[in-house]
Amino acid sequence: MTEQKSEKPQVPSQYTLADPVQFAQNMAKVFEQAAGIARMVAERPNPVLTEAETQLTPVEQVTKTLGAITQSYMNDPQKLMDAQMQLWNSYTQLWQNAWAKALGQETQPVAEPARNDKRFKDKDWQENTVFDFLKQFYLISANWAQDMVKNADGVDDHTRHKARFYVEQIANAISPSNFGFTNPEVLRTTLATNGANLIEGMKHLQEDMQTPDGRLRIKQTDMTAFEIGRNIAMTPGKVVFRNETFELIQYAPTHAETYAYPLVIFPPWINKFYILDLNAKKSFVKWAVDQGLTVFIVSWVNADENQARKSFSDYMREGFLEAVQAALDATGAEKVNVIGYCIGGTLTAASLGWMAAQNDQRVNAATFFTTQVDFEKAGDLLVYVDEEQVKWIEGRMKDKGYLPGTRMADAFNLLRSNDLIWSYVVNNYMLGKDPMPFDLLYWNADSTRMPAGVHSFYLRECYMANKLAQGKMVLDNVRIDLKKVKMPIYNLAAREDHIAPLASVFRLGRYFGGQTKLVVSGSGHIAGVVNPPEANKYQYWTNDKGAPTVEEWLKGATEHAGSWWPDWAKWMADKSGPKVKAPTPGSGKLKVIEDAPGTYVRARAE
């Protein structure tokens, strides 16, 4: 009888090293590159970046916040033991399932990623026993940590909100998808290329470390693929007004006649205006021009020391009010219509309240894009806002008079760190791939600086004290009462918005004195707004009957396929006056200064 030899388990071919010698040589190169990066960091002109310069929030805040959660469980040992037992039971079930799966048995996962979690899309996270175990072990642990925050007793809502955010950031950072040996795609690529991907990744890391302040700036897109005025922000127009706060662009008409009342758009100064003019297919500006509107847009200055002493009142007076008058001067119209987007919408609302107190009727109707005037339910950004953190931010702005654009960009990126940070760490540094050209991410990386006085006022008066909603905000010695604003309003909210949440934007209509039409778009803060009809994406909801709560409003709402833009155009047409001969840039009192998109938008922030 022939003796049968037991077969050794076969290693899948995709996890087999292609050339051990070449791999060893490449890894030596990787270590050499890593040493070079370490020397570069140590020898840079400003080698010591203090904690205050590198952190978005004081470390003491994180320690204090998580310490409050820990203390809650220390005060209730039985609750802590029950939570630990629950975690151990989940681990035990996972271990048993892993053995069963290894033996070929069907098992149900103990933990599954969210449907929109892109970290675990590789098939081996499901099919390979080892990677499936790592994934579920991580998800069990991360979910358990969040449950600990959720179920902690004696913790106020703000502390709980911050703790949830900090735990989420820690969990996102330690995901097995972020490490080469525990990410199946990275491991396969490393073995197949003998580590050549890591060589490319270290090149990318070195390039991203070569910034003026020495901080790592992860590239989200190919920044050389776009140029403002060449293939982005291309709608034809002219700069017809400029002061030290903004430039005003008037776009060239595409019809012989346009509506009499021009449209003036006030984007946020946290970002640059061309989110509304990315390219011909995505441009809200171009589309609005094609609907027969005379369109103006404010291009805010990228603040520096010259704007250090600017206040929110200055932005109202030198920004909103001067832009309105400039549009009237340029066209000879009697009234304008306005759009305010995000913080630009908050300024628009406050300015309209100021105008109402003066019986100033130059604005006929207003549209708000994802705008908050009541900040009680302001969402994830609240994690950055309390007395201690605002004082800390004010200290960071004291010397130069502004908040660096990189700080604001980092704060927003952290709100979606898996998508906007860690996915690029894996793609750029581990897989060694170049980021794909994407105009939206180019815009996202084109950060702007925040004037100290304006930023501090916004955080304190809106986020912390919620004075605009309470009728207590004062601008230029005038108390702002939004109930005095009687004009018609189109209020656009985005259903998945994490910057200006639907529950918060929903409240806008209750504060104004006129009729407000609420429309809810699909998607989030950007895609919910920039959704051209030709794309045939997402949907929007309307409810002419209204409702006292957002939940009731959505239950009674009618869903419409596609973009909300045509619905807005129909609403706007009724409020834009008769058709008149289309004014061209420079034909009125204001003369052409230069071609769009102007000078201010080209200034880059550190």
Side-chain angles (χ1 to χ4, degrees), residues 250-262:
Q250 180 181 355
Y251 291 96
T254 55
H255 299 281
E257 292 186 328
T258 58
Y259 291 101
Y261 298 164

Side-chain angles (χ1 to χ4, degrees), residues 7 12 76 82 119 126 192 215 288 322 329 348 356 387 394 432 438 468 483 516 526 567:
E7 295 184 359
D76 190 348
D82 291 343
R119 295 174 295 176
Q126 286 73 44
R215 300 175 70 222
E322 288 208 19
D329 291 342
T348 296
E387 183 62 31
E394 290 170 341
F438 188 14
L468 185 57
K483 282 295 182 184
T516 297
I526 302 301
D567 180 79

Side-chain angles (χ1 to χ4, degrees), residues 255-262 292 294 331 333 576-583:
H255 299 281
E257 292 186 328
T258 58
Y259 291 101
Y261 298 164
T294 297
T331 60
S576 297
K579 288 291 186 73
V580 297
K581 181 182 177 181

Side-chain angles (χ1 to χ4, degrees), residues 461-535:
E461 298 287 302
C462 295
Y463 275 92
M464 291 180 63
N466 204 16
K467 287 187 177 180
L468 185 57
Q470 298 172 11
K472 297 179 180 179
M473 180 179 285
V474 175
L475 296 176
D476 267 3
N477 299 316
V478 174
R479 186 176 66 83
I480 306 303
D481 181 1
L482 296 181
K483 282 295 182 184
K484 293 181 180 180
V485 179
K486 307 292 186 180
M487 67 187 62
I489 288 172
Y490 191 101
N491 180 27
L492 178 76
R495 191 159 188 173
E496 299 171 20
D497 197 332
H498 65 290
I499 302 297
L502 171 59
S504 183
V505 177
F506 173 83
R507 294 184 172 191
L508 182 144
R510 69 176 60 169
Y511 294 101
F512 287 93
Q515 184 176 5
T516 297
K517 176 177 181 177
L518 173 66
V519 174
V520 176
S521 69
S523 196
H525 195 70
I526 302 301
V529 174
V530 184
N531 182 25
E534 291 77 11

Side-chain angles (χ1 to χ4, degrees), residues 394-601:
E394 290 170 341
R396 307 287 74 73
M397 298 188 292
K398 186 176 182 180
D399 290 341
K400 293 184 177 180
Y402 60 81
L403 184 71
T406 53
R407 295 291 301 280
M408 186 62 64
D410 289 345
F412 280 101
N413 285 340
L414 272 176
L415 297 181
R416 294 177 55 203
S417 58
N418 281 333
D419 292 334
L420 296 177
I421 297 177
W422 296 112
S423 66
Y424 293 101
V425 169
V426 173
N427 181 82
N428 301 1
Y429 308 146
M430 297 184 191
L431 294 174
K433 296 180 180 179
D434 293 320
M436 296 292 290
F438 188 14
D439 50 14
L440 178 60
L441 290 176
Y442 176 89
W443 167 83
N444 188 60
D446 191 6
S447 55
T448 58
R449 296 177 287 261
M450 292 282 286
V454 178
H455 192 46
S456 181
F457 181 96
Y458 183 56
L459 293 178
R460 289 188 174 278
E461 298 287 302
C462 295
Y463 275 92
M464 291 180 63
N466 204 16
K467 287 187 177 180
L468 185 57
Q470 298 172 11
K472 297 179 180 179
M473 180 179 285
V474 175
L475 296 176
D476 267 3
N477 299 316
V478 174
R479 186 176 66 83
I480 306 303
D481 181 1
L482 296 181
K483 282 295 182 184
K484 293 181 180 180
V485 179
K486 307 292 186 180
M487 67 187 62
I489 288 172
Y490 191 101
N491 180 27
L492 178 76
R495 191 159 188 173
E496 299 171 20
D497 197 332
H498 65 290
I499 302 297
L502 171 59
S504 183
V505 177
F506 173 83
R507 294 184 172 191
L508 182 144
R510 69 176 60 169
Y511 294 101
F512 287 93
Q515 184 176 5
T516 297
K517 176 177 181 177
L518 173 66
V519 174
V520 176
S521 69
S523 196
H525 195 70
I526 302 301
V529 174
V530 184
N531 182 25
E534 291 77 11
N536 197 28
K537 292 177 65 177
Y538 310 126
Q539 69 281 95
Y540 67 97
W541 291 265
T542 59
N543 184 344
D544 294 336
K545 295 181 180 179
T549 67
V550 66
E551 293 79 13
E552 293 178 69
W553 191 95
L554 289 171
K555 286 181 181 179
T558 301
E559 181 176 339
H560 310 269
S563 173
W564 57 270
W565 290 11
D567 180 79
W568 171 83
K570 182 179 179 181
W571 182 89
M572 179 57 66
D574 295 335
K575 296 160 184 65
S576 297
K579 288 291 186 73
V580 297
K581 181 182 177 181
T584 57
S587 63
K589 293 181 180 180
L590 301 184
K591 301 307 176 185
V592 170
I593 298 174
E594 64 174 304
D595 289 339
T599 298
Y600 285 178
V601 73

